[in-house]
Amino acid sequence: AVIASIAKSALSAHCPQPHYVREYTLVLLRSQCGSQILLGYKKRGFGQGKWNGFGGKVEVGETPLAAAIRELHEESSLEVRPADIRLAGRMLFQFADETRVFRVHIYTGSRWTGQPVESDEMRPRWFNLADIPFDNMWPDDAYWLPKVLAGQSVIGYFLYAADKVTVLHHCLRDLVEPLRGDEESNEAADDEDEIEAAIVSNIGQPVCVCGANLPTPLPVS
């Protein structure tokens, strides 16, 4: 498993400080005809000034799916049912100058109830797929979002420099079978287990991940 070996090579006993994993969600809605995607302009907080999907932190006792549904409604007023969205990706994000590691559960769907409404945090807008504003999004989006929009399931790891713009290292893997959801326990996607086991074991448990010894990034395939 290539992605697992790269993730494992990032571990180091000489890491100056432990990193703590926090669970987050991201929801990307597409129009029913499939030609548009709904993004939100982040008005405040982490990622301010960027276009992104809708999501946020998974609360204690909450599943990622439940958090995704809640955050989407809070940020856009849209409502979805569990059956309306599918788990399309899991990404680990790390910043060289922070103790946090973000594990983001990415969901997609094309069914919802209501109309998007601007909130205190996000300003929704529909974009044609050919006009996605990658220049004003997190740089990693250009690596994995086209794959998700093509119907693929992906897992990956991105290490950012302290400037939160430069991607120092990344690994990204397409999965043949769908990702496992909150309640599933099938044998799909061995790499999903291996990368998680290599970098993190449980929410809030410290793991050392140093960028200095990471190998050359894999080309995106």
Side-chain angles (χ1 to χ4, degrees), residues 41-50 75 119-122:
Y41 182 81
K42 191 71 180 294
K43 297 163 59 176
R44 66 181 187 184
F46 190 71
Q48 181 178 357
K50 290 181 169 61
E75 294 183 346
S119 65
D120 291 341
E121 191 168 352
M122 300 285 273

Side-chain angles (χ1 to χ4, degrees), residues 40-212:
Y41 182 81
K42 191 71 180 294
K43 297 163 59 176
R44 66 181 187 184
F46 190 71
Q48 181 178 357
K50 290 181 169 61
W51 291 97
N52 205 353
F54 301 86
K57 187 168 68 174
V58 178
E59 302 293 347
V60 175
E62 192 176 36
T63 66
L65 177 59
I69 293 171
R70 174 184 55 78
E71 288 281 354
L72 175 66
H73 179 67
E74 290 176 358
E75 294 183 346
S76 71
S77 295
L78 296 176
E79 296 184 356
V80 294
R81 300 168 300 174
D84 292 335
I85 55 177
R86 75 172 184 92
L87 182 61
R90 284 197 185 100
M91 298 289 167
L92 293 170
F93 298 99
Q94 182 182 353
F95 298 93
D97 63 335
E98 293 193 18
T99 58
R100 293 177 294 177
V101 174
F102 299 82
R103 182 198 282 141
V104 181
H105 305 256
I106 302 166
Y107 295 86
T108 61
S110 58
R111 292 185 296 178
W112 62 87
T113 301
Q115 295 294 326
V117 176
E118 183 172 349
S119 65
D120 291 341
E121 191 168 352
M122 300 285 273
R123 184 170 73 242
R125 176 182 166 184
W126 287 101
F127 288 90
N128 293 327
L129 296 188
D131 300 320
I132 295 175
F134 285 113
D135 288 344
N136 199 21
M137 299 172 69
W138 286 102
D140 61 89
D141 291 343
Y143 292 83
W144 61 263
L145 181 53
K147 294 176 178 290
V148 169
L149 293 176
Q152 295 175 279
S153 296
V154 295
I155 56 173
Y157 168 77
F158 288 84
L159 173 64
Y160 276 88
D163 63 8
K164 295 180 174 55
V165 174
T166 306
V167 176
L168 296 176
H169 300 283
H170 80 280
C171 47
L172 190 63
R173 184 65 174 266
D174 303 339
L175 300 179
V176 176
E177 298 184 54
L179 281 161
R180 290 170 294 176
D182 297 339
E183 306 299 329
E184 295 178 298
S185 60
N186 58 54
E187 297 300 321
D190 288 342
D191 275 342
E192 176 192 348
D193 290 332
E194 292 187 41
I195 189 173
E196 299 255 337
I199 300 181
V200 299
S201 56
N202 293 292
I203 301 173
Q205 295 299 312
V207 294
C208 288
V209 185
C210 288

